């Protein structure tokens, strides 16, 4: 798409392409089929291209001002986010600093809270709740709601027993739970850098459309409280998983009630001034440094890819 179409384009308007990273690595890829990892050397090359040929923008400015401007920009605007607060962000940060590219970190807050604190324990159990109910039929909304109340009202000792039952997380069952994440102290430290914005990615990283009301409210309200305390941008949100079925109108309405202005999915829609602000698109950044692929992604080629696949 880049070679045939975008590279011949002269004017880009003020549409935006949001790009999303997850994990960074020095070694061979742990989940080669999932496209969640980018090597540091590929990252360096990608960011160099972004800094030379694109206009990497701070998210709030991009959505509030850039996309609405009357005059056209000479370079296409992009916004970059990193989901899931992986420990590897600590080492990736220097590349974003090198090119002065603004980033938003979407934090699954509960999983970054100390594991000896109650909210930290609760979130880690809720993240893996499916493993406690291995029967194939799954829980009804009512059962989930009761389970959630039980976890919220459990004593420290009871939570500890749930943890024992779960054992240590395995990547086959739950990738997010199996990663080593940044602590809140590390996030605070990283957030001191002016290129970094932090925002909520819920508490326990569950698909929000599948949760009962009490649990859903907690995911949004609690995580926003923590983000406020960390001086992050509490009106910005990214849906865990983010595919079409992972959120719905109920989730969007609740976000709106809680004062969230912008929410990102992982459908690769190009952002225009008419986009639904609570269903903004983002395209994945994959582990490539081929120039055409990097240009293609940042021009929004995945928008058309998702259209073809009707996602
Ligand atoms: Zn995520």
């Amino acid at each position: 798409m880049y070679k045939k179409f975008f590279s011949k384009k002269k004017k880009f308007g003020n549409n935006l392409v949001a790009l999303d990273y997850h994990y960074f690595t020095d070694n061979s890829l742990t989940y080669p089929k999932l496209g969640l990892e980018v090597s540091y050397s590929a990252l360096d090359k990608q960011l160099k291209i972004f800094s030379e040929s694109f206009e990497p923008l701070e998210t709030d400015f991009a959505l509030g001002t850039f996309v609405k401007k009357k005059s056209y920009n000479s370079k296409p605007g992009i916004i970059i986010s990193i989901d899931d607060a992986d420990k590897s962000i600590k080492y990736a940060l220097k590349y974003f600093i090198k090119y002065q590219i603004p980033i938003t970190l979407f934090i699954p807050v509960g999983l970054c809270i100390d594991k000896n604190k109650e909210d930290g324990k609760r979130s880690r159990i809720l993240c893996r709740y499916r493993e406690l109910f291995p029967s194939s039929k799954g829980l009804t909304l009512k059962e989930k709601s009761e389970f959630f109340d039980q976890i919220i009202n459990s004593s420290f000792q009871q939570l500890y027993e749930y943890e024992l039952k779960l054992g240590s997380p395995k990547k086959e069952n739950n990738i997010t739970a199996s990663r080593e994440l940044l602590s809140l102290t590390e996030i605070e430290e990283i957030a001191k850098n002016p290129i970094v914005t932090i925002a909520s990615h819920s508490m326990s990283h569950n698909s929000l459309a599948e949760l009962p009301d009490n649990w859903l409210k907690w995911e949004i309200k609690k995580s926003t409280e923590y983000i406020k305390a960390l001086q992050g941008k509490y009106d910005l949100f990214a849906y865990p998983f983010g595919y079409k079925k992972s959120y719905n109108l109920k989730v969007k309405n609740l976000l709106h009630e809680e004062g969230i202005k912008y929410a990102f999915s992982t459908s690769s829609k190009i952002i225009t001034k008419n986009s639904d602000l609570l269903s903004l698109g983002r395209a994945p950044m994959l582990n490539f440094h081929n120039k055409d692929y990097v240009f293609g992604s940042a021009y929004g080629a995945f928008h058309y890819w998702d259209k073809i696949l009707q996602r």
Side-chain angles (χ1 to χ4, degrees):
M1 279 215 157
Y2 169 67
K3 275 191 174 161
K4 296 261 179 269
F5 177 62
F6 291 122
S7 61
K8 295 180 182 68
K9 240 177 142 180
K10 288 284 172 301
K11 277 192 176 157
F12 299 99
N14 297 317
N15 291 347
L16 289 163
V17 173
L19 298 164
D20 191 33
Y21 289 95
H22 281 88
Y23 312 137
F24 304 96
T25 180
D26 246 340
N27 308 313
S28 58
L29 307 186
T30 322
Y31 335 93
K33 285 184 187 150
L34 295 178
L36 292 170
E37 298 148 291
V38 171
S39 74
Y40 295 110
S41 67
L43 177 69
D44 190 26
K45 288 177 185 132
Q46 293 174 353
L47 298 187
K48 185 167 190 290
I49 292 174
F50 294 157
S51 72
E52 288 168 356
S53 306
F54 293 84
E55 180 101 37
L57 300 163
E58 189 265 315
T59 305
D60 204 43
F61 170 78
L63 298 169
T65 310
F66 182 90
V67 82
K68 295 177 184 158
K69 272 200 307 198
K70 293 256 157 44
S71 59
Y72 280 169
N73 245 64
S74 55
K75 285 182 182 177
I78 54 170
I79 30 190
I80 296 182
S81 56
I82 309 175
D83 283 10
D84 296 355
D86 192 66
K87 206 65 146 189
S88 59
I89 292 172
K90 255 178 133 171
Y91 313 101
L93 187 66
K94 68 167 187 261
Y95 298 98
F96 291 94
I97 294 172
K98 177 175 166 189
Y99 299 104
Q100 282 298 297
I101 292 181
I103 40 172
T104 298
L105 307 183
F106 286 108
I107 313 283
V109 182
L111 309 179
C112 299
I113 297 171
D114 192 303
K115 62 177 186 306
N116 295 313
K117 295 225 162 85
E118 281 188 350
D119 279 340
K121 277 199 189 312
R122 286 175 183 139
S123 304
R124 282 172 180 82
I125 296 166
L126 291 172
C127 178
R128 299 174 60 199
Y129 80 98
R130 280 192 183 79
E131 293 172 48
L132 291 169
F133 306 96
S135 95
S136 57
K137 69 175 175 74
L139 299 182
T140 64
L141 270 186
K142 192 167 170 283
E143 286 166 334
K144 283 182 197 171
S145 167
E146 285 163 5
F147 172 70
F148 174 75
D149 280 339
Q150 213 177 316
I151 293 295
I152 289 297
N153 299 315
S154 284
S155 68
F156 208 76
Q157 183 59 31
Q158 285 164 322
L159 291 175
Y160 179 68
E161 278 160 26
Y162 274 115
E163 282 182 325
L164 276 185
K165 209 166 161 186
L166 280 164
S168 53
K170 292 190 182 68
K171 70 172 193 231
E172 313 74 274
N173 295 333
N174 189 323
I175 292 178
T176 323
S178 73
R179 300 287 304 190
E180 197 189 343
L181 305 193
L182 295 166
S183 69
L184 288 192
T185 321
E186 288 171 317
I187 291 167
E188 257 181 318
E189 197 53 41
I190 290 173
K192 281 183 190 156
N193 201 300
I195 62 162
V196 177
T197 301
I198 56 164
S200 169
H201 193 37
S202 83
M203 287 296 278
S204 76
H205 205 279
N206 268 292
S207 167
L208 299 184
E210 293 168 25
L211 302 183
D213 289 1
N214 54 348
W215 187 342
L216 175 62
K217 272 190 192 140
W218 180 81
E219 293 283 344
I220 296 171
K221 268 194 146 146
K222 245 311 180 249
S223 65
T224 317
E225 274 169 36
Y226 275 101
I227 293 293
K228 271 185 195 165
L230 288 163
Q231 297 182 358
K233 261 200 87 38
Y234 58 85
D235 59 357
L236 199 59
F237 192 88
Y239 300 108
F241 305 101
Y243 51 82
K244 241 186 200 170
K245 286 194 171 153
S246 67
Y247 61 100
N248 54 25
L249 191 61
K250 189 173 96 179
V251 177
K252 281 161 74 175
N253 285 341
L254 190 62
L255 285 175
H256 180 73
E257 270 170 40
E258 290 303 319
I260 308 281
K261 218 160 124 192
Y262 305 115
F264 285 95
S265 69
T266 50
S267 301
S268 310
K269 291 171 284 189
I270 292 175
I271 301 169
T272 72
K273 62 177 189 303
N274 302 318
S275 291
D276 176 353
L277 298 180
L278 293 177
S279 182
L280 296 164
R282 280 186 304 170
M285 277 312 291
L286 305 174
N287 187 43
F288 44 53
H289 39 73
N290 175 301
K291 207 168 149 244
D292 291 331
Y293 282 9
V294 179
F295 270 95
S297 298
Y299 279 130
F302 277 108
H303 171 94
Y304 303 97
W305 176 245
D306 273 7
K307 263 200 156 135
I308 294 164
L309 295 176
Q310 300 188 326
R311 313 197 268 208

